Amino acid sequence: MKIAIISHHAVSLIGFRGTFIKELVARGHQVLALAPDYKPKTREVVRGMGAETIGFNLSRTGVSPKQDLATLFELRRILRDHGPDLVLSFSTKPSIYGTLAALSAGVPRRFAMVEGLGSGFAQPGAPQSLAKRALGVVLRRMYGFALARADGTIFLNRDDYAEFAARRLVPRGRGHVLGGIGVALDQFPQSSHPTDPVVFVLIARMLREKGVGYFVEAARRIHASHPGAAEFVLVGGLDRNPTGHRRAHIREWVREGIVKWTGHVPVGPILRQSSVFVLPSFYREGVPRSTQEAMASGLPVITTDVPGCRETVDHGVNGFLVPPHDVDALTRRMRHFIENPGDISRMGSESRRLAERDFDAKLQDARLIGLLGLS
């Protein structure tokens, strides 16, 4: 069978779909990997997985009817030319435009994957500008129109599925919950982690909604109350999104001695040198890949009690859930590991156990293949 996978970002095909693509190829399927921003090295890696790489134009952020319509027509042309039997689109714009293009191109089977709802589905009580509220209305209508024409929509967590079902954005019986996409557990072996000092790490794009500012404020407070007892590391690149932290801002935190910042680097070595993983995100996630990797590496997790994030923590067992926007609670839970260093190993072992149960890429890839009717 010929299968087209449509992504919003070429690198994500490697980090988020790599094991899945390899498994499809191993089962004898032909895979077309569509993405808007291929670079020579990325193409080489994806081709090395056994997939054919195809580029297209996509504006990842913002809404431009002219650009988005051009994307829809380009995807339709590509799908008509290559004639896949099945299309799987993931992320917001590919799920909408990829599904509609596949319908128009006569692709027999069409699936979308919702990996997180973003700002179009704000948390209850969260402040939103009039423009963002209007954008949310448009986005939800487009989702409803597109997903009604998909054979199935796959969600990573139950909260997102419930939200779409309540809003009638996905037809009854055509929504499925996969859980986290999983990680290759052998690439993130469990190891011992430092306790003197305790090293707290946040791995994410440097966006405000990831809770970067709350992490920094908690670090500032802990430096004052427990000098020398902890280190704080930010890992992740800058983002052109309007909510992204600017380089100068982050460098000022570094100059103050509050945090270290690595930029975008391989995370495996960072996790092996860390003690506790922290993600104070205050918007909906799918199921954060970074948290799954941290759990596989045997790190306790502190994250927020919001959709997606809460899927990764059994409160008090492998870490702690804190309310979003609550820097006091975040600081208190981070201090817990400084004052109770034995919990780093104990809770970290529980994280690894949960990762083996819920986030093994081999098991999750097999589940996804089953949901697509390819098993």
Side-chain angles (χ1 to χ4, degrees):
M1 182 177 287
K2 186 184 291 188
I3 300 165
I5 300 175
I6 305 178
S7 170
H8 68 303
H9 194 15
V11 172
S12 69
L13 289 168
I14 301 170
F16 292 82
R17 292 290 171 268
T19 61
F20 179 63
I21 290 172
K22 290 177 183 177
E23 182 62 23
L24 289 175
V25 172
R27 294 184 182 219
H29 299 292
Q30 181 181 352
V31 178
L32 311 174
L34 282 67
D37 53 356
Y38 273 115
K39 292 181 171 58
K41 180 61 177 177
T42 314
R43 283 189 186 274
E44 180 183 347
V45 173
V46 176
R47 286 171 178 167
M49 298 173 182
E52 179 181 347
T53 60
I54 302 171
F56 67 96
N57 294 301
L58 174 72
S59 172
R60 287 177 54 205
T61 60
V63 176
S64 167
K66 183 178 180 181
Q67 289 181 333
D68 290 347
L69 195 60
T71 295
L72 175 64
F73 288 143
E74 184 179 11
L75 285 172
R76 182 180 66 175
R77 176 188 59 77
I78 291 170
L79 296 175
R80 279 180 172 172
D81 289 346
H82 289 270
D85 304 293
L86 182 149
V87 164
L88 171 64
S89 305
F90 65 96
S91 190
T92 302
K93 286 191 176 183
S95 290
I96 294 170
Y97 301 125
T99 300
L100 295 176
L103 175 70
S104 181
V107 178
R109 300 171 66 190
R110 303 169 298 278
F111 291 85
M113 180 176 284
V114 176
E115 297 191 300
L117 305 192
S119 59
F121 296 80
Q123 288 291 97
Q128 273 199 318
S129 66
L130 181 61
K132 278 200 170 184
R133 286 199 296 270
L135 179 60
V137 171
V138 172
L139 176 62
R140 291 190 291 271
R141 288 179 177 175
M142 293 175 68
Y143 257 135
F145 183 76
L147 299 183
R149 289 149 181 84
D151 293 283
T153 302
I154 299 162
F155 298 87
L156 299 189
N157 66 67
R158 295 178 182 83
D159 291 292
D160 290 353
Y161 181 27
E163 178 87 10
F164 270 56
R167 294 179 181 270
R168 299 183 180 179
L169 300 180
V170 60
R172 186 184 300 272
R174 280 192 262 164
H176 312 279
V177 178
L178 173 68
I181 60 173
V183 297
L185 296 179
D186 58 348
Q187 295 180 16
F188 297 92
Q190 184 177 2
S191 59
S192 59
H193 299 282
T195 58
D196 186 19
V198 176
V199 181
F200 296 94
V201 62
L202 186 159
I203 301 174
R205 289 175 294 149
M206 293 295 103
L207 296 170
R208 288 177 176 82
E209 54 262 38
K210 294 291 185 179
V212 173
Y214 293 115
F215 180 82
V216 173
E217 177 56 28
R220 182 181 283 112
R221 295 181 183 187
I222 293 171
H223 275 306
S225 64
H226 294 72
E231 294 180 357
F232 305 87
V233 183
L234 292 172
V235 179
L238 301 173
D239 197 287
R240 289 177 292 180
N241 192 295
T243 63
H245 289 284
R246 303 279 74 85
R247 186 185 302 274
H249 196 187
I250 299 173
R251 285 180 171 172
E252 181 59 32
W253 293 332
V254 174
R255 281 194 294 269
E256 288 182 52
I258 302 171
V259 297
K260 298 177 181 179
W261 179 43
T262 68
H264 181 72
V265 296
V267 301
I270 297 288
L271 292 171
R272 288 192 289 274
Q273 298 164 18
S274 301
S275 313
V276 180
F277 180 80
V278 184
L279 182 63
S281 177
F282 55 84
Y283 83 141
R284 309 181 74 116
E285 303 274 353
V287 176
R289 174 64 179 266
S290 59
T291 314
Q292 295 174 60
E293 292 170 345
M295 293 171 68
S297 300
L299 292 180
V301 174
I302 303 172
T303 191
T304 41
D305 190 8
V306 298
C309 292
R310 65 170 66 108
E311 304 284 327
T312 62
V313 170
D314 185 349
H315 185 74
V317 176
N318 74 309
F320 299 109
L321 293 171
V322 298
H325 306 287
D326 191 338
V327 72
D328 293 333
L330 177 64
T331 305
R332 184 168 61 253
R333 293 305 188 184
M334 292 170 72
R335 282 179 179 148
H336 172 91
F337 290 104
I338 297 173
E339 297 166 357
N340 302 274
D343 279 354
I344 293 173
S345 175
R346 181 180 66 82
M347 290 188 169
S349 293
E350 289 296 326
S351 276
R352 175 68 187 195
R353 180 183 65 81
L354 292 173
E356 291 174 350
R357 186 190 73 185
D358 297 332
F359 302 130
D360 182 344
K362 293 180 181 178
L363 299 178
Q364 294 305 94
D365 288 343
R367 287 196 64 207
L368 178 55
I369 286 171
L371 290 174
L372 298 177
L374 299 174
S375 56

